[in-house]
Amino acid sequence: MKMVLLLYKIDLKKNYEYIYNNNMEPTKEQTDAYKIYDKLSRQKKLDTMDENIKKLALEYRAIYRNNRTEEQKQKKIEWDRQYYQASHKEHLEYNKIRRNTEEYKAYMKEFRASENGIKSARITKMKQLGIISDDYEVLYEKWKNTTHCEECNVELVGGNKGANRKCIDHDHKTKLFRNIICHICNVKRGIKDNNIVAKTPEQIKEERRERYLRDKK
Ligand SMILES: [Zn+2]
């Protein structure tokens, strides 16, 4: 039951994107529908509700959420925080069970393969790399649409292997994005940035030999 609720919530956000994007005012129909919804919700009788009225009620709620004042938003955050603290352990248990359900696994598999899933994974990766941006979505679009290295113009390939693989380059000091380049250019730039003198093959061989001898002892 809770699982279904979760999927429903995700769906809700998707369904009401038009409300979130266009500052809408609730109609009388929507307002009235929500009054019924609220009453039934308190009585835990939502499943008896007419689907069309429910739809209107949820539209009202989406509009209401979108038009909250700063004070109302803060109040909600505080309420959520208290709720979270009170039920944290219970949630952990619930999540553990939920993650193991076939339903959830199938949902996640589908999500990861979807456009949104790929985007979300890429943005998470950027954040893990420490890249700071005002708009990760714009950054993602750039990542997606860049087909050639912006340094040497070689055609880029996807995946984690190959000299031509796509890399996102950022300044390690300012943490700001620079450009999309190939792996070779990325390594070269790293060497330049950190004032590392490239090692000669002889040096690399010598280092390996030393390490080998040391480990042998
Ligand atoms: Zn390159």
Side-chain angles (χ1 to χ4, degrees), residues 138 179 203:
V138 171
N179 50 12
Q203 279 175 320

mmCIF file of all heavy atoms in Angstrom, residues 138 179 203:
data_model
loop_
_atom_site.group_PDB
_atom_site.id
_atom_site.type_symbol
_atom_site.label_atom_id
_atom_site.label_comp_id
_atom_site.label_asym_id
_atom_site.label_seq_id
_atom_site.Cartn_x
_atom_site.Cartn_y
_atom_site.Cartn_z
ATOM 1 N N VAL A 138 21.216 22.904 -17.201
ATOM 2 C CA VAL A 138 21.883 23.511 -18.357
ATOM 3 C C VAL A 138 23.195 22.780 -18.631
ATOM 4 O O VAL A 138 23.524 22.454 -19.766
ATOM 5 C CB VAL A 138 22.139 25.018 -18.102
ATOM 6 C CG1 VAL A 138 23.012 25.625 -19.187
ATOM 7 C CG2 VAL A 138 20.817 25.765 -18.007
ATOM 8 N N ASN A 179 34.874 22.950 -19.526
ATOM 9 C CA ASN A 179 34.246 22.469 -20.770
ATOM 10 C C ASN A 179 34.214 20.947 -20.843
ATOM 11 O O ASN A 179 34.656 20.264 -19.937
ATOM 12 C CB ASN A 179 34.897 23.089 -22.010
ATOM 13 C CG ASN A 179 36.403 22.969 -22.002
ATOM 14 O OD1 ASN A 179 36.958 22.236 -21.188
ATOM 15 N ND2 ASN A 179 37.057 23.657 -22.901
ATOM 16 N N GLN A 203 61.149 6.290 -15.989
ATOM 17 C CA GLN A 203 60.808 6.609 -14.588
ATOM 18 C C GLN A 203 59.701 5.698 -14.080
ATOM 19 O O GLN A 203 59.753 5.210 -12.956
ATOM 20 C CB GLN A 203 60.377 8.075 -14.480
ATOM 21 C CG GLN A 203 61.529 9.050 -14.413
ATOM 22 C CD GLN A 203 61.022 10.479 -14.434
ATOM 23 O OE1 GLN A 203 60.092 10.805 -15.170
ATOM 24 N NE2 GLN A 203 61.626 11.336 -13.633
#
